[in-house]
Amino acid sequence: MSDIGSLDALVQALRRLPGVGVKSAQRIAFHLLQHDRAGARELSQALAMAAQQVQHCQRCHTFTESAVCATCLDERRDVSRLCVVETPADQAAMERTGAFSGLYFVLMGRLSPLDGVGPRDIGVQQLLERAGDGVVQEVILATSFTAEGEATAHALAEALKRRGVQVTRLARGVPVGSELEYVDLGTIAHALADRR
């Protein structure tokens, strides 16, 4: 690309972001250096600070700057319901709905044998211990509806049921505001099977 080592290093670092290829990384790097050096410094400082201060919550594994996150410490939350999500981004999406007032467990991934990701890598043992504490009455599995997400939900459901924990799964169905003729057939089939 160029003979400027620090610019090459910046492009390579930007390529680590999901969905960012060489051209996008170059475009971002050139923009920051040409038009927004102050923004580049602010981004650098914020990233360094987050990398140093953000850790995993000891109870739910989400990101926090404290040993235990604010959600886990919130006494207004329903401690009898535990929602299992794959990532902190999924937790944030659930929170934005305003429809769930329980607590969370963030797997920080999903089972993927082909990628070498097993139960230990996503904290299954910690989840089983937390769900079996006698306080949790229902575990809601809110993993994605991909093949890996479904496999993860199935494995977790079996393990939790063996311990006598009530397990539910997010329903699948037709998105609100959509026209049926434009919805994919798999979604329609699941919506029909999961109707209430």
Side-chain angles (χ1 to χ4, degrees):
M1 182 188 106
S2 83
D3 62 348
I4 305 173
S6 57
L7 180 57
D8 288 338
L10 174 58
V11 170
Q12 291 306 314
L14 289 168
R15 286 189 60 204
R16 296 178 72 111
L17 296 171
V20 177
V22 175
K23 288 185 179 182
S24 295
Q26 287 175 339
R27 199 168 21 254
I28 294 167
F30 292 152
H31 170 80
L32 288 170
L33 295 174
Q34 184 176 356
H35 300 292
D36 194 7
R37 293 231 175 192
R41 283 188 288 278
E42 185 179 333
L43 177 64
S44 170
Q45 291 168 353
L47 185 57
M49 186 179 299
Q52 182 181 14
Q53 295 181 359
V54 174
Q55 59 186 320
H56 294 285
C57 173
Q58 292 175 357
R59 291 187 192 160
C60 74
H61 295 165
T62 198
F63 292 135
T64 182
E65 290 187 17
S66 306
V68 178
C69 72
T71 302
C72 287
L73 291 174
D74 187 347
E75 294 180 3
R76 297 169 297 180
R77 306 297 291 213
D78 181 355
V79 296
S80 70
R81 296 187 327 169
L82 186 65
C83 182
V84 178
V85 295
E86 293 176 9
T87 66
D90 295 338
Q91 178 186 359
M94 292 289 291
E95 281 295 287
R96 283 192 304 272
T97 69
F100 182 69
S101 61
L103 295 174
Y104 293 92
F105 188 89
V106 182
L107 297 170
M108 301 306 281
R110 55 184 168 227
L111 295 175
S112 180
L114 294 176
D115 296 322
V117 180
R120 285 190 180 141
D121 300 310
I122 62 172
V124 171
Q125 189 59 42
Q126 294 96 319
L127 170 62
L128 294 175
E129 289 169 9
R130 179 142 182 225
D133 66 2
V135 176
V136 174
Q137 301 299 311
E138 176 188 13
V139 174
I140 303 162
L141 299 176
T143 58
S144 60
F145 290 105
T146 62
E148 292 170 337
E150 290 284 1
T152 301
H154 178 74
L156 294 177
E158 292 300 313
L160 289 162
K161 286 176 184 174
R162 281 195 299 273
R163 293 179 176 239
V165 177
Q166 179 190 1
V167 180
T168 58
R169 177 86 165 108
L170 282 187
R172 295 173 278 199
V174 179
V176 174
S178 64
E179 296 183 34
L180 203 54
E181 68 180 292
Y182 299 112
V183 176
D184 69 276
L185 300 178
T187 300
I188 293 173
H190 284 294
L192 188 57
D194 295 339
R195 70 188 184 280
R196 53 184 162 112

